[in-house]
Amino acid sequence: MTKRLIIVLGMHRSGTSAITRGLEVLGASLGEKLMPPAADNKKGYFEDTELNSLNIDLLKSVDNEWFGLTPISATDVDNLRSQGHMLRAVDLMREKINSTNVFAFKDPRVAKLLPFWNAVTDHLHLDVSYVIALRNPLSVVQSLSKRDGFIPERSYFLWLGHLLESLRGSTGKPRIVVDYDRLILSPDIELSRIAGAFRLNVNAKDLGEYKNKFLDTDLRHTAYSPNDLLLDAACPPIVREVFNKLLSVASDQINLDDPTLLSELSGWTIEFDRLKSALRLADQQYKQIASLNQAVTERDGQIASLNQAVTERDGQIASLNQAVTERDGQIASLNQAVTERDGQIASLNQAVTERDGQIASLNQAVTERDGQIASLNQAVTERDG
């Protein structure tokens, strides 16, 4: 039995997590190694950690990033193959689908790497279907501005690149476009659309839990109308054209494989391909700015460390000055004590001198008395004779 694989494609911040979680309602397995929730996605990413790590490595191997505007080329895919990444991806995907009949995964990076992943799924002879997540690009722009500080122009071209690559890379395969805003408002209808397109069944119990416990209007921080794009001067006309056309596809007014639409897609793709040099230049400038910002941040860190060191030295100097002041006070106290002792000694010396004078006077008186006694003795002797 051929293993079935559902890949959710789309731009970051486009509701790919909510859509992927909805695939569990249709019986698809998402694996056991899902990325935990975070502050910017409190309900969870529903993204396989091992596949996510692989995609990050793939982009780094061809000097690209998730926010890079430059598309992945055929040469890039060949380089990834020669570096052994194709075998790594085949082994990992074989492991993921081994224990289930229908495996689903999402990572917005896959839209950029779709030529590579198509080669992997072709090698494994998998029955692949694609869900293309659609969201008003203005909502994406606002979200990326708040989370990553991106300027609108970069976010619009990122949205355009992801959608065009998703459409081009999924051509000829079972696929469906799901509008995130419609999913939030009518999850029953949108999941039924996916089930019908991919020959799956909706589990009523899981659907109830998905609607009542998982989906939340708070998941959607902004809701814009298509006409709101006309109010943003940063929005390229091609972005408005692609979004409006895909809205018609998401509401089943136009078939995604309609020849007219495929012709328009070809024209959009050609127009986008002509921008590759400008997009590559924008990526280079972005990296230079990021590098300069990193250098400034490091310098700021060094300055902060130096300021901290100076503050600590100032504290040490203040402590030493305080100690010196205390020692000076002690020395002054000792000098005062010495002066007082010197005064006491001088007073004692004066008293001793006075006593010596008294003793000398007494000695003189004794001498005089001795002379008088001698005279008296002489006189007595003469009287006796």
Side-chain angles (χ1 to χ4, degrees):
M1 179 179 178
T2 302
K3 295 287 187 176
R4 298 189 62 186
L5 174 66
I6 302 175
I7 301 177
V8 179
L9 303 172
M11 174 57 190
H12 300 260
R13 318 306 293 169
S14 291
T16 54
S17 299
I19 292 173
T20 305
R21 168 63 180 85
L23 294 178
E24 288 187 312
V25 177
L26 309 183
S29 170
L30 306 181
E32 302 297 329
K33 298 180 179 180
L34 296 181
M35 191 179 298
D40 65 328
N41 202 336
K42 295 180 180 180
K43 291 286 187 175
Y45 293 91
F46 299 95
E47 201 163 303
D48 187 277
T49 55
E50 293 179 331
L51 290 169
N52 172 261
S53 296
L54 174 58
N55 287 323
I56 292 173
D57 291 345
L58 294 175
L59 288 175
K60 286 183 178 179
S61 296
V62 293
D63 194 27
N64 211 316
E65 295 282 356
W66 72 264
F67 51 79
L69 298 175
T70 309
I72 300 298
S73 66
T75 301
D76 291 329
V77 175
D78 290 339
N79 289 336
L80 292 173
R81 187 191 298 270
S82 65
Q83 294 170 17
H85 291 295
M86 189 74 71
L87 179 59
R88 176 186 172 191
V90 167
D91 288 341
L92 182 58
M93 184 54 64
R94 185 179 283 126
E95 176 187 334
K96 297 297 178 184
I97 65 176
N98 187 49
S99 59
T100 183
N101 291 325
V102 182
F103 180 74
F105 82 98
K106 75 94 175 176
D107 181 349
R109 294 169 181 81
V110 174
K112 292 176 66 68
L113 293 163
L114 199 48
F116 172 87
W117 280 107
N118 282 342
V120 171
T121 56
D122 287 346
H123 178 83
L124 292 170
H125 303 291
L126 300 178
D127 181 2
V128 186
S129 303
Y130 301 93
V131 179
I132 301 174
L134 178 68
R135 190 183 186 188
N136 191 312
L138 190 53
S139 294
V140 175
V141 167
Q142 295 295 326
S143 182
L144 291 177
S145 174
K146 180 180 179 180
R147 190 190 71 172
D148 302 292
F150 288 172
I151 62 173
E153 288 81 0
R154 168 168 288 274
S155 297
Y156 278 123
F157 278 110
L158 277 173
W159 181 94
L160 180 63
H162 279 69
L163 266 295
L164 291 181
E165 289 295 334
S166 297
L167 293 170
R168 175 164 53 182
S170 62
T171 302
K173 300 284 187 178
R175 54 184 180 165
I176 188 172
V177 176
V178 176
D179 177 42
Y180 176 59
D181 291 325
R182 293 172 66 92
L183 176 72
I184 294 293
L185 296 175
S186 306
D188 310 67
I189 295 175
E190 295 308 309
L191 291 182
S192 294
R193 290 180 64 241
I194 299 174
F198 298 160
R199 308 182 311 281
L200 299 172
N201 297 314
V202 177
N203 184 301
K205 180 181 178 182
D206 292 344
L207 175 61
E209 183 176 346
Y210 177 72
K211 289 168 52 179
N212 301 321
K213 295 184 179 181
F214 176 78
L215 283 187
D216 188 343
T217 54
D218 290 340
L219 292 173
R220 185 177 58 165
H221 300 293
T222 59
Y224 293 104
S225 73
N227 289 334
D228 289 337
L229 288 172
L230 296 170
L231 304 179
D232 189 0
C235 180
I238 186 176
V239 170
R240 291 195 294 268
E241 293 173 14
V242 173
F243 177 60
N244 287 326
K245 188 65 68 172
L246 291 181
L247 271 182
S248 298
V249 175
S251 58
D252 294 328
Q253 298 176 34
I254 301 177
N255 189 293
L256 194 53
D257 295 316
D258 180 86
T260 302
L261 178 58
L262 292 177
S263 178
E264 289 181 289
L265 172 61
S266 177
W268 295 328
T269 302
I270 292 173
E271 183 176 349
F272 187 73
D273 288 343
R274 287 176 177 173
L275 297 173
K276 280 185 179 179
S277 296
L279 298 177
R280 188 176 296 108
L281 175 61
D283 280 342
Q284 291 172 352
Q285 292 179 337
Y286 184 85
K287 290 179 181 179
Q288 290 174 351
I289 293 172
S291 177
L292 291 173
N293 286 335
Q294 177 65 23
V296 169
T297 300
E298 292 175 356
R299 294 296 185 280
D300 288 343
Q302 293 172 349
I303 292 172
S305 298
L306 291 173
N307 286 334
Q308 177 65 22
V310 169
T311 300
E312 292 175 356
R313 294 298 185 280
D314 289 342
Q316 293 172 350
I317 291 171
S319 298
L320 291 173
N321 286 333
Q322 177 65 23
V324 169
T325 300
E326 293 174 356
R327 295 300 185 281
D328 289 342
Q330 293 172 350
I331 291 171
S333 297
L334 291 173
N335 286 333
Q336 177 66 26
V338 169
T339 301
E340 293 175 355
R341 294 300 183 280
D342 289 343
Q344 292 172 349
I345 291 170
S347 297
L348 292 172
N349 285 334
Q350 178 64 28
V352 169
T353 300
E354 292 175 354
R355 295 298 184 281
D356 288 344
Q358 292 173 351
I359 292 170
S361 296
L362 291 172
N363 285 333
Q364 178 64 29
V366 169
T367 301
E368 291 176 352
R369 294 297 185 280
D370 288 343
Q372 291 173 350
I373 292 169
S375 296
L376 289 173
N377 287 333
Q378 179 64 31
V380 169
T381 300
E382 290 178 354
R383 294 292 185 282
D384 289 340

